[in-house]
Amino acid sequence: MNESLVSKYKDIVTSRGLTYHYLSSPAVDDKPTLLFVHGFPSISYDWYHQINYFSERGFGVVAPDMLGYGGTSKPTDMSFFLHTAIAQDLLDILDAEKVQKAIAVGHDWGARIISLLSMKHSDRFLGFAWVVVTHQIYAPFPPVDVILEMNIKTYGRPLLGYWKFFEQDSAPQIIEKNLESLISVVYPDDPDSWLTLMNQPGEIQAFVENGKTTKRASYLTDEHHSRLLESLRGGGLTSALNWYRSTLGGVNSHINEEIPEENQFIKKPAFFAVARKDHVCVYDYAVPQMEKYATGGLNVVEFQGGHWVQLEEPETFNRELEGWIRDTLQQNC
């Protein structure tokens, strides 16, 4: 990240009393502001390619460390991970920065949150961009074993096997002892390693427990790797894993009751960067899901790599995202 941007970090206490650490760089002239929302096990630094690119071109940028990560609060009570409350945290940040014209960009769990923003707070945004993980509506979440059975019936293999590990009480401590092992799995040089380590139940747990490592992706630079380790060592994994546990524990199961059916559809322009080798949010599920719900217009861009397209192919990703903003949203910018 450009050194001049490091000083742009701030802290805010949101309306529900949680501290968020976030980067804010104001827009120049009448350009919109991009709200970058990361997922597991990341920090706002994951967006450094995009922060540099868009801020240099006059766009506003807001990039928070999400709940459980970096300089943001790390509650151990999973009830704090109610997605409607997290969405309000982000709106509190935008309000504090007096952002009127925003575009939400979400990756991994961040994509889940921008889905909620599109359903409950669409009027606050010009458009929404999903990165790898597709738009999903809310419904009661079944047990992991049921999901895995459904995966096998639909795709011929399980997809969410790693959730079996993440839901265990011992998972935070196991991972904290073997952080390099987890990072090598999550940011792999070979995205096909996820076919075993992430998809198959028991595989990631055995791998991490034994302190094994696989070749780390080249796009995870030494600087990025160091910042990631610092965040996870400092904050631990208990709070970060609450993103999974709160979902499995039913914290978000009733959100669907608050959203009229017509609001489940994306009424604003949508951008979707889909990864052919993301073996968790698979193409055959992700693209039809977006096509079904994106009634306000959809631009799909295919990437041939894995889960981290914004890191693996930042030049292409940034160019495509900027082009979509210019061509689709310019009338509002």
Side-chain angles (χ1 to χ4, degrees), residues 205-264:
Q205 180 171 354
F207 191 89
V208 173
E209 278 183 332
N210 289 307
K212 295 181 178 180
T213 57
T214 186
K215 186 179 179 182
R216 204 177 78 211
S218 59
Y219 57 76
L220 187 66
T221 64
D222 289 343
E223 170 71 10
H224 189 175
H225 175 249
S226 175
R227 288 174 179 266
L228 194 58
L229 273 179
E230 180 183 6
S231 168
L232 296 175
R233 283 176 176 156
L237 270 294
T238 299
S239 187
L241 287 174
N242 272 339
W243 283 88
Y244 297 89
R245 294 176 176 189
S246 62
T247 296
L248 291 168
V251 170
N252 296 294
S253 291
H254 300 291
I255 289 178
N256 63 306
E257 298 170 7
E258 306 173 21
I259 301 173
E261 185 176 356
E262 63 269 21
N263 287 356
Q264 294 177 351

Side-chain angles (χ1 to χ4, degrees), residues 141-218:
F141 205 85
V144 179
D145 287 332
V146 173
I147 295 173
L148 296 177
E149 290 174 8
M150 293 166 58
N151 292 162
I152 292 169
K153 288 179 181 177
T154 305
Y155 305 106
R157 60 185 174 88
L159 301 179
L160 300 183
Y162 64 102
W163 282 55
K164 291 285 289 180
F165 176 38
F166 287 178
E167 73 175 340
Q168 294 181 25
D169 291 339
S170 59
Q173 290 73 35
I174 292 170
I175 295 171
E176 287 162 12
K177 291 177 182 177
N178 300 284
L179 279 175
E180 292 283 15
S181 181
L182 178 80
I183 289 173
S184 77
V185 172
V186 177
Y187 297 85
D189 181 68
D190 179 9
D192 288 342
S193 66
W194 277 25
L195 289 166
T196 301
L197 290 174
M198 296 291 273
N199 290 166
Q200 299 295 332
E203 291 291 338
I204 189 173
Q205 180 171 354
F207 191 89
V208 173
E209 278 183 332
N210 289 307
K212 295 181 178 180
T213 57
T214 186
K215 186 179 179 182
R216 204 177 78 211
S218 59

Side-chain angles (χ1 to χ4, degrees), residues 278-300:
D278 187 311
H279 297 301
V280 173
C281 190
V282 294
Y283 182 95
D284 289 346
Y285 166 73
V287 173
Q289 187 80 354
M290 288 299 302
E291 291 174 341
K292 176 180 179 181
Y293 286 99
T295 57
L298 174 64
N299 182 29
V300 177

Side-chain angles (χ1 to χ4, degrees), residues 22-233:
Y22 67 100
L23 179 145
S24 179
S25 178
V28 175
D29 298 326
D30 205 31
K31 294 256 188 171
T33 293
L34 278 68
L35 171 67
F36 289 107
V37 189
H38 72 78
F40 179 88
S42 310
I43 49 177
S44 54
Y45 190 86
D46 265 32
W47 297 106
Y48 74 95
H49 290 295
Q50 289 69 48
I51 292 168
N52 290 340
Y53 182 92
F54 286 97
S55 63
E56 289 170 358
R57 285 158 178 78
F59 290 89
V61 172
V62 172
D65 289 340
M66 292 301 289
L67 196 63
Y69 300 100
T72 293
S73 294
K74 300 171 185 65
T76 55
D77 182 345
M78 68 182 183
S79 67
F80 281 93
F81 288 77
L82 177 66
H83 289 180
T84 49
I86 292 172
Q88 185 58 53
D89 293 338
L90 298 181
L91 295 181
D92 289 347
I93 294 172
L94 294 181
D95 288 343
E97 295 301 315
K98 298 180 172 56
V99 172
Q100 299 298 320
K101 299 194 307 186
I103 298 162
V105 185
H107 175 254
D108 195 80
W109 279 107
R112 193 74 174 104
I113 297 302
I114 72 161
S115 282
L116 183 59
L117 290 172
S118 79
M119 289 185 275
K120 286 186 71 72
H121 305 284
S122 184
D123 60 313
R124 290 292 304 268
F125 296 88
L126 300 175
F128 300 91
W130 283 260
V131 185
V132 178
V133 173
T134 192
H135 176 68
Q136 298 171 72
I137 64 171
Y138 282 84
F141 205 85
V144 179
D145 287 332
V146 173
I147 295 173
L148 296 177
E149 290 174 8
M150 293 166 58
N151 292 162
I152 292 169
K153 288 179 181 177
T154 305
Y155 305 106
R157 60 185 174 88
L159 301 179
L160 300 183
Y162 64 102
W163 282 55
K164 291 285 289 180
F165 176 38
F166 287 178
E167 73 175 340
Q168 294 181 25
D169 291 339
S170 59
Q173 290 73 35
I174 292 170
I175 295 171
E176 287 162 12
K177 291 177 182 177
N178 300 284
L179 279 175
E180 292 283 15
S181 181
L182 178 80
I183 289 173
S184 77
V185 172
V186 177
Y187 297 85
D189 181 68
D190 179 9
D192 288 342
S193 66
W194 277 25
L195 289 166
T196 301
L197 290 174
M198 296 291 273
N199 290 166
Q200 299 295 332
E203 291 291 338
I204 189 173
Q205 180 171 354
F207 191 89
V208 173
E209 278 183 332
N210 289 307
K212 295 181 178 180
T213 57
T214 186
K215 186 179 179 182
R216 204 177 78 211
S218 59
Y219 57 76
L220 187 66
T221 64
D222 289 343
E223 170 71 10
H224 189 175
H225 175 249
S226 175
R227 288 174 179 266
L228 194 58
L229 273 179
E230 180 183 6
S231 168
L232 296 175
R233 283 176 176 156

